[in-house]
Amino acid sequence: MRRTFLRVLMIFGLMAGGLGLGAGAAPTAALAAYGAVKWPATGVITGKVDDRCPGYDNHDGYDIAGNYRSVVSAAYSGSVSYVGWDAGGYGNFVIISHASGWSTLYGHLDGYVSRMRVGEYFNRGDGIGYMGYTGGVSPPGVGGTHLHFEMLRYDSPQVWNSAGSCGQSVTRGGAVPFDFAGLN
Ligand SMILES: [Zn+2]
């Protein structure tokens, strides 16, 4: 009985989050929409969360290897919360904040579009920067060009490995086949 009651409370909380009630946003559909998040770059998947592709460990996102200076776009609409530099890791990277506690991180960028700054709003699909090899990439240099892409919730990287497979080609703007609760 009590467990059921708690579950109802939890479901209501998730729905309220999806409705954006806490943030005062306009009401939207409560349920996540499959494919609402779009791939931010065109290329080949070479790494997944916790490295489900051969290479290295402790990996928090997907690696998408593509053409140097190809466009990287926002996977979902939101405001930039961080623009940073991480010499041994992410290189030039950006974090965009979304609804329901979600955020996306884009690393190893060669550079940014001119309007990139904290607080700037980008629609899903808008270009945010260019694929590069800044920070720690393997192999070093232009041959290591790829996008490091994370889906975080409340600042913790999430595991969404069923969305793509190692060696799979993805296209920028194509739907990510995964439900991210609260994103629709
Ligand atoms: Zn990576």
Side-chain angles (χ1 to χ4, degrees), residues 47-51 59-63 148-151 157 160:
K48 295 166 68 176
V49 183
D50 290 334
D51 191 32
H59 195 243
D60 287 335
Y62 272 71
D63 286 337
H148 174 90
F149 174 50
E150 296 181 20
M151 293 290 308
W160 45 293

Side-chain angles (χ1 to χ4, degrees), residues 35-43 64 71-75 124-126 170-176:
V37 172
K38 309 301 183 187
W39 291 111
T42 295
I64 301 171
V71 173
V72 172
S73 56
R124 175 171 43 197
D126 285 350
V170 297
T171 302
R172 186 172 71 88
V176 174

Side-chain angles (χ1 to χ4, degrees), residues 110-168:
D110 187 71
Y112 308 113
V113 298
S114 58
R115 70 184 177 98
M116 176 58 68
R117 60 182 62 79
V118 170
E120 185 76 7
Y121 187 87
F122 287 89
N123 283 306
R124 175 171 43 197
D126 285 350
I128 59 171
Y130 305 96
M131 193 182 289
Y133 54 89
T134 58
V137 299
S138 179
V142 69
T145 295
H146 72 276
L147 172 70
H148 174 90
F149 174 50
E150 296 181 20
M151 293 290 308
L152 304 103
R153 197 163 199 201
Y154 301 113
D155 299 324
S156 293
Q158 301 297 298
V159 179
W160 45 293
N161 284 326
S162 65
S165 54
C166 303
Q168 178 188 341

Side-chain angles (χ1 to χ4, degrees), residues 98-109:
H98 312 292
S100 303
W102 288 99
S103 58
T104 47
L105 183 152
Y106 311 81
H108 307 310
L109 298 175

Side-chain angles (χ1 to χ4, degrees), residues 12-28 77-79 97-102 121 154 182-183:
F12 179 78
L14 287 172
M15 288 178 68
L19 287 165
L21 296 177
T28 53
S77 301
S79 297
S97 293
H98 312 292
S100 303
W102 288 99
Y121 187 87
Y154 301 113
L183 298 182

